Amino acid sequence: MAFTLYSLIQTAILCTNAIAVLHEERFLSKRSGLDQGVSGFGDDPGIKAQVLNLIRSVRTVMRVPLIIVNSASIVLLLLFG
């Protein structure tokens, strides 16, 4: 298997899918702890809060585009092997 642009794009799609399927109550609430966005004005949120915000954002924004991109990827894989 060669390292191609398509394999790199497919890897990015799979990683985004992995983030998108995380369950809010089962996975994310256990990792978030008690500090869900409680910070003072001008305080930088920690790495943990930033990663959790990124995961929530990806789950919200990428839901419909992932359906389209996954469908296109499957069609291309079926057509060109």
Side-chain angles (χ1 to χ4, degrees):
M1 177 154 56
F3 184 73
T4 61
L5 181 62
Y6 180 73
S7 65
L8 187 64
I9 292 171
Q10 194 172 16
T11 302
I13 292 170
L14 288 174
C15 289
T16 309
N17 282 331
I19 293 172
V21 299
L22 291 175
H23 195 266
E24 185 81 28
E25 288 83 25
R26 287 187 179 179
F27 179 77
L28 297 178
S29 67
K30 291 179 186 176
R31 279 25 173 210
S32 65
L34 298 174
D35 59 340
Q36 291 205 348
V38 179
S39 62
F41 181 74
D43 290 342
D44 291 331
I47 295 291
K48 190 177 188 182
Q50 289 179 354
V51 169
L52 288 173
N53 283 336
L54 176 69
I55 291 172
R56 286 187 184 107
S57 299
V58 167
R59 290 184 70 227
T60 303
V61 173
M62 292 300 291
R63 191 166 298 196
V64 174
L66 268 177
I67 294 170
I68 296 167
V69 170
N70 283 327
S71 300
S73 175
I74 290 169
V75 167
L76 286 174
L77 192 61
L78 287 174
L79 289 177
F80 299 114

